[in-house]
């Protein structure tokens, strides 16, 4: 067992933080949290512990929607809305991943930066390329971080140079045998406009037969939604187009964005236990809209956070939390106060425990959770009279990767990946 002493902060529930100043966290040899204590219990009084002093110990971050092959476009090309942005900037960049040397170079940097930013679990879109996707899987396995990794399926309305066939996708999943552990595959239709009914049907079947989770995009942008209504006229709403093919809740499902989901679609998200992945940096950059996060939460819909790079311009979940709060305040003002904005503890909960729930018992320090943690040193900003909540708030708004001293995933301290 390992015992660490620090200022421990986590969110068992969204409405408030648990703070234990100078507390102890006990982690079993298998990496699972045994408990958090103000004072060490009698039976382990004499156990040695590692004293992290006045630093903050928080659950590591979970990014539930991120495009690894868009890493090189970070901060670029944000002058268009979704559909022209895909055509002009994103598809040409993703096509480069046919070259595995290029893929190795960019994917190593991507995984290195996830490590830097303290994101220990992520749900990742790769590209249509099987070799590059295998490479990304191996880079994650070497890193010690957890991930779902999706070979992207797309066989219509995309450039010839960036399409795969249902046959190729079926072969990829036939070949995959190693589907356990903390790096696993996920079924990944890019979105309805990119996939023929044959492709969607196949993906729904593989999800069922191999019991694999699903990730995609939903109701991100008005033009996209109108296009889906033309392409799938029998579907009652965009979400229904996925549902009809077994891609909405048949197995655990992530749907990014949902900026314009309402009415029947909202009901369908709840009834199918879909996790909505809110991507506020991306939604502002691509002028997509403000997702009704408060309405989702009030209706019992699960919500997590995603960076959605390179629609989002930064991999840090600090930025994503900050934008989530700020956009929710704009939604609050627009609703004339009817939609309460997100509190700091709610945003933190979304980035840790809510997102972590997709990976098992991840994202909290309650007994039985995987010890995924970050040790934060904010001493350069610190004044003695600051509360732990204010220190955490300032870290979320002003902090960056340099403040992270140590990173743990499943109880193991992860050192900087080499060869990035
Ligand atoms: N919809 C389909 N593909 C994409 C993508 O790569 N990024 C975003 N933000 N939305 C999409
Ligand atoms: Fe996306």
């Amino acid at each position: 067992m390992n015992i660490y002493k620090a200022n421990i902060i986590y969110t068992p529930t969204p409405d408030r933080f648990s703070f234990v100043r100078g507390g102890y966290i006990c982690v079993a040899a298998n990496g699972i949290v045994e408990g958090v204590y103000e004072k060490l219990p009698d039976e382990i009084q004499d156990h040695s512990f590692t004293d992290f002093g006045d630093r903050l110990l928080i659950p590591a971050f979970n990014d539930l929607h991120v495009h690894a092959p868009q890493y090189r476009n970070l901060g670029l090309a944000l002058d268009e809305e979704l559909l022209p942005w895909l055509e002009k900037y994103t598809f040409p960049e993703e096509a480069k991943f046919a070259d595995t040397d290029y893929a190795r170079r960019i994917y190593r940097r991507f995984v290195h930066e996830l490590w830097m930013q303290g994101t220990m679990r992520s749900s990742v879109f790769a590209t249509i390329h099987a070799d590059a996707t295998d490479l990304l899987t191996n880079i994650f396995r070497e890193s010690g971080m957890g991930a779902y990794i999706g070979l992207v399926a797309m066989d219509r309305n995309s450039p010839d140079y960036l399409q795969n066939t249902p046959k190729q996708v079926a072969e990829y999943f036939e070949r995959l045998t190693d589907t356990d552990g903390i790096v696993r595959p996920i079924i990944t239709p890019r979105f309805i406009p990119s996939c023929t009914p044959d492709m969607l049907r196949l993906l729904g079947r593989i999800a069922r037969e191999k019991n694999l989770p699903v990730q995609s995009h939903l109701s991100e942008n008005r033009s996209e939604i109108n296009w889906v209504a033309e392409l799938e006229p029998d579907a009652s709403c965009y979400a229904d187009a996925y549902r009809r093919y077994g891609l909405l809740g048949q197995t655990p499902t992530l749907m990014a964005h949902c900026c314009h989901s309402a009415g029947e679609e909202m009901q369908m998200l709840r009834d199918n236990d879909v996790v909505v992945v809110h991507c506020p940096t991306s939604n502002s950059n691509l002028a997509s809209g403000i997702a009704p996060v408060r309405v989702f939460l009030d209706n019992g819909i699960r919500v997590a956070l995603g960076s959605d790079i390179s629609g989002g311009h930064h991999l840090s979940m600090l930025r994503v939390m900050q934008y989530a709060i700020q956009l929710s305040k704009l939604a609050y003002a627009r609703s004339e106060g009817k939609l309460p904005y997100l509190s700091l503890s709610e945003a933190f909960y979304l980035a840790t425990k809510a997102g972590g729930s997709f990976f098992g018992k991840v994202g909290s320090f309650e007994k039985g959770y995987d010890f995924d943690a970050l040790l934060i040193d904010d001493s350069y900003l610190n004044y003695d009279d600051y509360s732990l909540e204010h220190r955490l708030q300032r870290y979320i708004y002003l902090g960056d990767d340099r403040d992270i001293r140590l990173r743990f995933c499943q109880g193991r301290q992860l050192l900087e990946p080499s060869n990035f």
Side-chain angles (χ1 to χ4, degrees):
M1 183 173 68
N2 283 304
I3 304 177
Y4 306 106
K5 182 172 194 285
N7 295 313
I8 298 170
I9 307 176
Y10 59 113
T11 42
T13 55
D15 52 304
R16 61 177 191 85
F17 289 104
S18 281
F19 296 110
V20 187
R21 191 179 277 278
Y24 301 84
I25 184 163
C26 299
V27 182
N30 59 3
I32 308 284
V33 175
E34 295 268 348
V36 173
Y37 309 100
E38 287 180 19
K39 292 209 180 71
L40 276 184
D42 286 344
E43 59 279 17
I44 49 173
Q45 269 300 332
D46 298 328
H47 202 288
S48 63
F49 60 83
T50 306
D51 190 347
F52 290 137
D54 193 39
R55 293 169 178 160
L56 311 177
L57 188 70
I58 62 174
F61 301 125
N62 303 309
D63 185 342
L64 276 283
H65 183 83
V66 57
H67 296 264
Q70 297 175 23
Y71 185 64
R72 229 175 69 116
N73 278 356
L74 268 183
L76 305 179
L78 296 169
D79 54 342
E80 295 279 9
E81 289 191 29
L82 175 65
L83 299 175
W85 172 83
L86 286 170
E87 289 286 336
K88 263 172 80 174
Y89 304 116
T90 306
F91 292 159
E93 180 59 25
E94 289 194 11
K96 296 178 190 169
F97 287 73
D99 173 354
T100 47
D101 288 334
Y102 184 80
R104 187 177 296 106
R105 203 148 56 81
I106 304 301
Y107 281 162
R108 276 187 178 149
R109 288 190 206 165
F110 167 77
V111 172
H112 176 256
E113 189 171 344
L114 281 180
W115 175 88
M116 262 173 57
Q117 302 294 351
T119 300
M120 293 293 115
R121 315 269 183 155
S122 47
S123 192
V124 183
F125 281 57
T127 59
I128 61 163
H129 310 99
D131 288 347
T133 305
D134 286 342
L135 240 163
L136 180 61
T137 302
N138 289 333
I139 295 170
F140 265 105
R141 291 215 165 109
E142 284 166 23
S143 79
M145 299 185 294
Y148 281 110
I149 297 177
L151 174 90
V152 175
M154 42 200 296
D155 67 339
R156 70 173 171 187
N157 295 319
S158 320
D160 294 341
Y161 61 77
L162 195 66
Q163 294 199 31
N164 47 15
T165 61
K167 184 156 172 284
Q168 288 170 320
V169 172
E171 280 166 7
Y172 175 83
F173 283 99
E174 277 310 309
R175 193 167 51 70
L176 281 187
T177 46
D178 197 0
T179 57
D180 293 334
I182 70 171
V183 182
R184 298 175 176 219
I186 183 166
I187 299 288
T188 306
R190 180 170 211 119
F191 63 162
I192 293 285
S194 302
C195 297
T196 60
D198 280 350
M199 182 68 99
L200 295 166
R201 210 169 293 119
L202 170 78
L203 293 172
R205 200 182 75 215
I206 301 173
R208 184 179 70 246
E209 288 175 0
K210 302 215 163 215
N211 192 26
L212 294 176
V214 172
Q215 63 178 353
S216 196
H217 297 93
L218 179 65
S219 296
E220 177 176 5
N221 164 288
R222 296 268 183 217
S223 311
E224 170 210 18
I225 294 167
N226 294 336
W227 194 14
V228 170
E230 287 167 25
L231 291 167
E232 292 284 329
D234 296 337
S236 60
C237 59
Y238 191 163
D240 191 46
Y242 289 115
R243 192 195 57 79
R244 293 154 59 88
Y245 296 104
L247 296 167
L248 197 89
Q250 176 181 226
T251 54
T253 304
L254 298 172
M255 282 292 159
H257 306 301
C258 304
C259 298
H260 305 285
S261 299
E264 184 196 353
E265 180 158 290
M266 198 159 312
Q267 186 100 23
M268 209 173 271
L269 294 174
R270 188 187 43 207
D271 293 347
N272 290 282
D273 203 24
V274 171
V275 178
V276 170
V277 188
H278 178 42
C279 303
T281 49
S282 171
N283 297 157
S284 0
N285 289 332
L286 298 179
S288 302
I290 304 180
V293 176
R294 175 61 63 202
V295 185
F296 292 143
L297 294 174
D298 285 350
N299 281 286
I301 294 169
R302 295 166 69 191
V303 180
L305 295 180
S307 66
D308 191 32
I309 72 154
S310 61
H313 58 287
H314 209 291
L315 268 179
S316 171
M317 295 306 287
L318 301 175
R319 299 277 172 99
V320 177
M321 278 187 269
Q322 177 197 328
Y323 268 65
I325 295 170
Q326 290 177 331
L327 287 197
S328 78
K329 289 180 176 174
L330 298 181
Y332 162 82
R334 196 178 52 182
S335 77
E336 297 181 352
K338 288 205 220 22
L339 293 175
Y341 47 79
L342 291 178
S343 66
L344 193 73
S345 65
E346 285 180 309
F348 192 79
Y349 178 91
L350 296 183
T352 56
K353 190 173 173 181
S357 70
F358 206 73
F359 300 89
K361 286 189 133 184
V362 172
S364 182
F365 290 154
E366 292 152 84
K367 183 177 167 63
Y369 273 70
D370 284 1
F371 184 64
D372 282 27
L374 306 176
L375 185 70
I376 308 301
D377 186 345
D378 64 345
S379 52
Y380 71 102
L381 291 164
N382 199 11
Y383 300 94
D384 290 344
D385 56 340
Y386 278 28
S387 67
L388 290 180
E389 177 152 4
H390 280 164
R391 284 174 61 185
L392 182 72
Q393 179 163 22
R394 205 173 30 174
Y395 165 63
I396 290 172
Y397 277 86
L398 302 180
D400 62 41
D401 57 282
R402 293 169 299 181
D403 307 333
I404 306 177
R405 286 291 173 277
L406 299 176
R407 298 151 176 87
F408 295 87
C409 186
Q410 281 194 325
R412 283 175 57 210
Q413 189 191 327
L414 299 189
L415 300 177
E416 184 158 11
S418 51
N419 290 328
F420 54 88

